[in-house]
Amino acid sequence: MDTTQAIFAFSALSQETRLDVLRLLIKAGQTGMNAGEIGDVLGVRQNTMSTNLNILLRSGLVRNEREGRSIRYFADIDGIRGLLAFLMEDCCGGKPELCEPVLDAIVCDC
Amino acid sequence: MDTTQAIFAFSALSQETRLDVLRLLIKAGQTGMNAGEIGDVLGVRQNTMSTNLNILLRSGLVRNEREGRSIRYFADIDGIRGLLAFLMEDCCGGKPELCEPVLDAIVCDC
DNA sequence: TCCATACATCAAGAATAATAGATATAACGG
DNA sequence: CCGTTATATCTATTATTCTTGATGTATGGA
């Protein structure tokens, strides 16, 4: 992950539809969701959703897989990890009490 | 953290100067850095840096403290935690193997 | 109180991004 | 093949964001 890529990824997340999509796909986990299904759930027009899905794809936060006529989208965990690792790189200047709370926040219930 | 606030924060990070500033402040930890010092290190003009620091402040990713004539800026760990927690909320749909690698990436050496 | 330092705000031009109508492509069924 | 479904691309308009010169404000020292 370099700065340019990180900026592109954060930029992808700085728009409501795309942020909603990624959060939805993170919830969906390995099951993923079809493009049309995502558009229906979020109430976004087909071509707008397609454009936004493509931006998420290019940002490396999402991946997809053709499934017959549909295309299924998934959160790309490696991409998300890379982005967060880039942000938190060299964190806390040797004082773990600064960054530990950040980790705690992401621990999920599963 | 709500969607509007998260979009504002990700938008704050989707610009080179501001992303550089936050990463710098994360490295600086509790020591923080003066506004002028940040501008010097990153080679950004005074008023541009001031505008960008204000955007980071309003995004909740950074906090500041007056120090005589200077103003010292710090990464706001609570703000960062809130943002990442919002993104990863309800992650992995019951399958921990999806989100654990994300956590591993952020574990720091300190 | 006057000056210097450190930072913030204003305003306007330039660059970038968002949306949606129209159209194109890809896959499947008959 | 032909039609239908599912998604992608093109294009233009509108809206937002970035940068910077000029100027304003706050603090501390002489």
Side-chain angles (χ1 to χ4, degrees):
Chain A
M1 174 79 51
D2 65 355
T3 299
T4 304
Q5 212 182 329
I7 288 169
F8 193 79
F10 283 126
S11 163
L13 293 176
S14 70
Q15 200 261 4
E16 185 161 20
T17 298
R18 293 192 298 259
L19 180 56
D20 287 348
V21 168
L22 187 61
R23 282 171 27 97
L24 209 55
L25 290 178
I26 284 172
K27 278 182 196 131
Q30 293 171 318
T31 307
M33 288 174 78
N34 287 336
E37 192 184 350
I38 298 171
D40 290 348
V41 169
L42 297 181
V44 175
R45 285 165 201 264
Q46 185 269 317
N47 59 353
T48 301
M49 181 52 76
S50 176
T51 298
N52 282 319
L53 284 171
N54 189 254
I55 290 172
L56 282 169
L57 260 184
R58 292 194 330 247
S59 75
L61 297 170
V62 148
R63 63 186 174 80
N64 66 5
E65 216 170 78
R66 183 164 279 278
E67 190 178 66
R69 281 193 273 215
S70 298
I71 296 181
R72 185 164 287 268
Y73 282 83
F74 307 86
D76 185 328
I77 295 298
D78 283 344
I80 296 170
R81 170 177 53 193
L83 182 63
L84 301 189
F86 178 79
L87 180 64
M88 300 302 295
E89 198 177 65
D90 301 326
C91 67
C92 82
K95 316 263 185 177
E97 63 273 22
L98 273 182
C99 52
E100 273 168 359
V102 175
L103 296 177
D104 294 343
I106 311 178
V107 173
C108 56
D109 310 328
C110 55
Chain B
M1 175 80 48
D2 64 356
T3 300
T4 304
Q5 213 181 330
I7 289 169
F8 193 79
F10 283 126
S11 162
L13 294 176
S14 69
Q15 200 261 5
E16 185 161 19
T17 298
R18 293 191 300 259
L19 181 54
D20 287 348
V21 168
L22 187 60
R23 283 169 29 96
L24 208 54
L25 290 178
I26 285 172
K27 279 183 196 127
Q30 294 171 316
T31 307
M33 287 174 78
N34 287 337
E37 191 184 352
I38 298 171
D40 289 346
V41 169
L42 298 180
V44 174
R45 282 166 203 264
Q46 185 269 318
N47 60 352
T48 301
M49 181 52 76
S50 176
T51 299
N52 284 317
L53 284 172
N54 189 254
I55 291 172
L56 283 169
L57 260 185
R58 292 191 333 246
S59 76
L61 296 170
V62 148
R63 64 187 174 78
N64 66 7
E65 214 170 80
R66 182 166 279 278
E67 192 178 65
R69 282 194 271 216
S70 299
I71 296 182
R72 184 164 288 269
Y73 283 82
F74 305 87
D76 184 327
I77 294 299
D78 284 344
I80 296 170
R81 170 176 54 195
L83 182 64
L84 301 189
F86 177 80
L87 180 64
M88 300 304 293
E89 196 177 64
D90 301 326
C91 68
C92 80
K95 316 261 184 180
E97 64 272 23
L98 272 181
C99 54
E100 274 170 358
V102 175
L103 296 177
D104 293 344
I106 311 179
V107 174
C108 56
D109 310 327
C110 54

mmCIF file of all heavy atoms in Angstrom, chain A residues 12-14 23 25 32 39-41 43-44 47 60 62-63 69 74 80 83 86 93 100 106 109:
data_model
loop_
_atom_site.group_PDB
_atom_site.id
_atom_site.type_symbol
_atom_site.label_atom_id
_atom_site.label_comp_id
_atom_site.label_asym_id
_atom_site.label_seq_id
_atom_site.Cartn_x
_atom_site.Cartn_y
_atom_site.Cartn_z
ATOM 1 N N ALA A 12 -12.697 6.543 -1.877
ATOM 2 C CA ALA A 12 -13.800 5.631 -2.182
ATOM 3 C C ALA A 12 -14.776 5.558 -1.011
ATOM 4 O O ALA A 12 -15.992 5.447 -1.198
ATOM 5 C CB ALA A 12 -13.264 4.240 -2.518
ATOM 6 N N LEU A 13 -14.247 5.652 0.192
ATOM 7 C CA LEU A 13 -15.082 5.535 1.394
ATOM 8 C C LEU A 13 -15.735 6.852 1.792
ATOM 9 O O LEU A 13 -16.565 6.882 2.708
ATOM 10 C CB LEU A 13 -14.243 5.012 2.558
ATOM 11 C CG LEU A 13 -13.757 3.575 2.388
ATOM 12 C CD1 LEU A 13 -12.856 3.186 3.539
ATOM 13 C CD2 LEU A 13 -14.937 2.624 2.284
ATOM 14 N N SER A 14 -15.395 7.916 1.106
ATOM 15 C CA SER A 14 -15.901 9.224 1.525
ATOM 16 C C SER A 14 -17.155 9.612 0.746
ATOM 17 O O SER A 14 -17.390 10.774 0.466
ATOM 18 C CB SER A 14 -14.814 10.271 1.347
ATOM 19 O OG SER A 14 -14.573 10.508 -0.021
ATOM 20 N N ARG A 23 -19.831 -1.459 4.056
ATOM 21 C CA ARG A 23 -20.300 -1.947 5.356
ATOM 22 C C ARG A 23 -21.274 -3.115 5.185
ATOM 23 O O ARG A 23 -21.242 -4.098 5.933
ATOM 24 C CB ARG A 23 -20.938 -0.803 6.144
ATOM 25 C CG ARG A 23 -19.851 0.093 6.756
ATOM 26 C CD ARG A 23 -20.320 1.386 7.377
ATOM 27 N NE ARG A 23 -21.665 1.411 7.878
ATOM 28 C CZ ARG A 23 -22.011 1.215 9.158
ATOM 29 N NH1 ARG A 23 -21.089 0.948 10.058
ATOM 30 N NH2 ARG A 23 -23.254 1.301 9.513
ATOM 31 N N LEU A 25 -21.229 -5.213 2.702
ATOM 32 C CA LEU A 25 -20.455 -6.387 2.268
ATOM 33 C C LEU A 25 -19.632 -6.953 3.415
ATOM 34 O O LEU A 25 -19.407 -8.162 3.482
ATOM 35 C CB LEU A 25 -19.562 -6.023 1.079
ATOM 36 C CG LEU A 25 -20.319 -5.750 -0.219
ATOM 37 C CD1 LEU A 25 -19.346 -5.360 -1.325
ATOM 38 C CD2 LEU A 25 -21.147 -6.965 -0.645
ATOM 39 N N GLY A 32 -21.252 -12.604 0.477
ATOM 40 C CA GLY A 32 -21.279 -11.542 -0.522
ATOM 41 C C GLY A 32 -22.696 -11.181 -0.940
ATOM 42 O O GLY A 32 -23.669 -11.670 -0.355
ATOM 43 N N GLY A 39 -27.951 -2.749 -4.982
ATOM 44 C CA GLY A 39 -28.673 -1.563 -5.438
ATOM 45 C C GLY A 39 -30.083 -1.503 -4.876
ATOM 46 O O GLY A 39 -30.552 -0.439 -4.467
ATOM 47 N N ASP A 40 -30.757 -2.651 -4.848
ATOM 48 C CA ASP A 40 -32.113 -2.694 -4.303
ATOM 49 C C ASP A 40 -32.122 -2.319 -2.831
ATOM 50 O O ASP A 40 -32.913 -1.483 -2.390
ATOM 51 C CB ASP A 40 -32.717 -4.099 -4.471
ATOM 52 C CG ASP A 40 -33.021 -4.408 -5.928
ATOM 53 O OD1 ASP A 40 -32.988 -3.465 -6.756
ATOM 54 O OD2 ASP A 40 -33.266 -5.583 -6.250
ATOM 55 N N VAL A 41 -31.236 -2.950 -2.076
ATOM 56 C CA VAL A 41 -31.196 -2.702 -0.632
ATOM 57 C C VAL A 41 -30.940 -1.220 -0.344
ATOM 58 O O VAL A 41 -31.566 -0.628 0.537
ATOM 59 C CB VAL A 41 -30.111 -3.572 0.043
ATOM 60 C CG1 VAL A 41 -29.880 -3.135 1.476
ATOM 61 C CG2 VAL A 41 -30.493 -5.043 -0.014
ATOM 62 N N GLY A 43 -31.336 1.310 -2.496
ATOM 63 C CA GLY A 43 -32.173 2.248 -3.240
ATOM 64 C C GLY A 43 -31.388 3.162 -4.159
ATOM 65 O O GLY A 43 -31.634 4.361 -4.225
ATOM 66 N N VAL A 44 -30.434 2.578 -4.880
ATOM 67 C CA VAL A 44 -29.590 3.362 -5.786
ATOM 68 C C VAL A 44 -29.802 2.841 -7.212
ATOM 69 O O VAL A 44 -29.909 1.638 -7.420
ATOM 70 C CB VAL A 44 -28.102 3.218 -5.374
ATOM 71 C CG1 VAL A 44 -27.187 3.909 -6.372
ATOM 72 C CG2 VAL A 44 -27.893 3.793 -3.977
ATOM 73 N N ASN A 47 -27.094 2.267 -12.877
ATOM 74 C CA ASN A 47 -25.811 2.730 -13.417
ATOM 75 C C ASN A 47 -24.972 3.482 -12.372
ATOM 76 O O ASN A 47 -23.747 3.359 -12.356
ATOM 77 C CB ASN A 47 -25.997 3.565 -14.695
ATOM 78 C CG ASN A 47 -26.850 4.791 -14.468
ATOM 79 O OD1 ASN A 47 -27.425 4.968 -13.402
ATOM 80 N ND2 ASN A 47 -26.943 5.631 -15.481
ATOM 81 N N GLY A 60 -9.496 -1.545 -4.321
ATOM 82 C CA GLY A 60 -8.983 -2.741 -3.664
ATOM 83 C C GLY A 60 -9.722 -3.111 -2.395
ATOM 84 O O GLY A 60 -9.298 -3.993 -1.654
ATOM 85 N N VAL A 62 -12.904 -4.138 -2.377
ATOM 86 C CA VAL A 62 -13.970 -5.047 -2.759
ATOM 87 C C VAL A 62 -13.448 -5.909 -3.901
ATOM 88 O O VAL A 62 -12.585 -5.494 -4.661
ATOM 89 C CB VAL A 62 -15.177 -4.160 -3.200
ATOM 90 C CG1 VAL A 62 -15.985 -4.820 -4.275
ATOM 91 C CG2 VAL A 62 -16.039 -3.788 -2.011
ATOM 92 N N ARG A 63 -13.948 -7.141 -3.979
ATOM 93 C CA ARG A 63 -13.648 -7.958 -5.154
ATOM 94 C C ARG A 63 -14.951 -8.530 -5.666
ATOM 95 O O ARG A 63 -15.974 -8.462 -4.984
ATOM 96 C CB ARG A 63 -12.638 -9.061 -4.809
ATOM 97 C CG ARG A 63 -13.156 -10.043 -3.800
ATOM 98 C CD ARG A 63 -12.094 -11.040 -3.353
ATOM 99 N NE ARG A 63 -12.666 -11.853 -2.280
ATOM 100 C CZ ARG A 63 -13.491 -12.883 -2.498
ATOM 101 N NH1 ARG A 63 -13.803 -13.250 -3.736
ATOM 102 N NH2 ARG A 63 -13.995 -13.551 -1.473
ATOM 103 N N ARG A 69 -25.596 -14.650 -14.811
ATOM 104 C CA ARG A 69 -25.819 -13.308 -15.339
ATOM 105 C C ARG A 69 -25.488 -12.227 -14.313
ATOM 106 O O ARG A 69 -25.268 -11.080 -14.664
ATOM 107 C CB ARG A 69 -27.291 -13.170 -15.768
ATOM 108 C CG ARG A 69 -27.538 -13.815 -17.109
ATOM 109 C CD ARG A 69 -28.864 -13.412 -17.667
ATOM 110 N NE ARG A 69 -29.924 -14.297 -17.193
ATOM 111 C CZ ARG A 69 -30.972 -14.648 -17.939
ATOM 112 N NH1 ARG A 69 -31.082 -14.209 -19.173
ATOM 113 N NH2 ARG A 69 -31.887 -15.443 -17.462
ATOM 114 N N PHE A 74 -17.854 -8.979 -2.887
ATOM 115 C CA PHE A 74 -17.405 -9.325 -1.535
ATOM 116 C C PHE A 74 -16.490 -8.221 -1.005
ATOM 117 O O PHE A 74 -15.744 -7.612 -1.781
ATOM 118 C CB PHE A 74 -16.578 -10.614 -1.556
ATOM 119 C CG PHE A 74 -17.252 -11.778 -2.212
ATOM 120 C CD1 PHE A 74 -17.178 -11.970 -3.595
ATOM 121 C CD2 PHE A 74 -17.969 -12.697 -1.453
ATOM 122 C CE1 PHE A 74 -17.808 -13.056 -4.194
ATOM 123 C CE2 PHE A 74 -18.595 -13.786 -2.056
ATOM 124 C CZ PHE A 74 -18.518 -13.957 -3.429
ATOM 125 N N ILE A 80 -8.703 -4.221 2.860
ATOM 126 C CA ILE A 80 -9.055 -3.430 4.043
ATOM 127 C C ILE A 80 -7.907 -3.459 5.045
ATOM 128 O O ILE A 80 -7.504 -2.437 5.597
ATOM 129 C CB ILE A 80 -10.355 -3.957 4.677
ATOM 130 C CG1 ILE A 80 -11.524 -3.776 3.700
ATOM 131 C CG2 ILE A 80 -10.638 -3.257 5.997
ATOM 132 C CD1 ILE A 80 -12.801 -4.476 4.125
ATOM 133 N N LEU A 83 -5.072 -1.198 3.998
ATOM 134 C CA LEU A 83 -5.371 0.219 4.196
ATOM 135 C C LEU A 83 -5.208 0.615 5.658
ATOM 136 O O LEU A 83 -4.553 1.619 5.983
ATOM 137 C CB LEU A 83 -6.795 0.513 3.728
ATOM 138 C CG LEU A 83 -7.233 1.960 3.827
ATOM 139 C CD1 LEU A 83 -6.384 2.852 2.935
ATOM 140 C CD2 LEU A 83 -8.714 2.115 3.487
ATOM 141 N N PHE A 86 -1.627 0.611 6.749
ATOM 142 C CA PHE A 86 -0.922 1.793 6.249
ATOM 143 C C PHE A 86 -1.192 2.998 7.142
ATOM 144 O O PHE A 86 -0.284 3.744 7.509
ATOM 145 C CB PHE A 86 -1.372 2.100 4.824
ATOM 146 C CG PHE A 86 -0.756 3.327 4.229
ATOM 147 C CD1 PHE A 86 0.532 3.296 3.715
ATOM 148 C CD2 PHE A 86 -1.462 4.510 4.182
ATOM 149 C CE1 PHE A 86 1.105 4.434 3.163
ATOM 150 C CE2 PHE A 86 -0.894 5.661 3.635
ATOM 151 C CZ PHE A 86 0.394 5.613 3.126
ATOM 152 N N GLY A 93 4.341 5.705 18.823
ATOM 153 C CA GLY A 93 5.679 6.109 19.259
ATOM 154 C C GLY A 93 6.168 5.389 20.491
ATOM 155 O O GLY A 93 6.721 5.994 21.405
ATOM 156 N N GLU A 100 -3.637 0.529 21.524
ATOM 157 C CA GLU A 100 -4.436 -0.631 21.922
ATOM 158 C C GLU A 100 -5.943 -0.394 21.861
ATOM 159 O O GLU A 100 -6.680 -1.263 21.398
ATOM 160 C CB GLU A 100 -4.013 -1.137 23.306
ATOM 161 C CG GLU A 100 -2.849 -2.122 23.213
ATOM 162 C CD GLU A 100 -2.221 -2.429 24.569
ATOM 163 O OE1 GLU A 100 -2.687 -1.865 25.563
ATOM 164 O OE2 GLU A 100 -1.269 -3.219 24.606
ATOM 165 N N ILE A 106 -12.160 -2.854 17.118
ATOM 166 C CA ILE A 106 -12.450 -3.610 15.904
ATOM 167 C C ILE A 106 -12.735 -5.073 16.212
ATOM 168 O O ILE A 106 -13.199 -5.816 15.368
ATOM 169 C CB ILE A 106 -11.279 -3.478 14.909
ATOM 170 C CG1 ILE A 106 -10.912 -2.003 14.760
ATOM 171 C CG2 ILE A 106 -11.635 -4.032 13.556
ATOM 172 C CD1 ILE A 106 -9.768 -1.754 13.850
ATOM 173 N N ASP A 109 -17.758 -9.685 17.598
ATOM 174 C CA ASP A 109 -18.396 -10.613 18.531
ATOM 175 C C ASP A 109 -18.365 -12.065 18.066
ATOM 176 O O ASP A 109 -18.823 -12.953 18.786
ATOM 177 C CB ASP A 109 -19.870 -10.221 18.723
ATOM 178 C CG ASP A 109 -19.996 -8.741 19.057
ATOM 179 O OD1 ASP A 109 -19.079 -8.220 19.700
ATOM 180 O OD2 ASP A 109 -21.002 -8.132 18.664
#
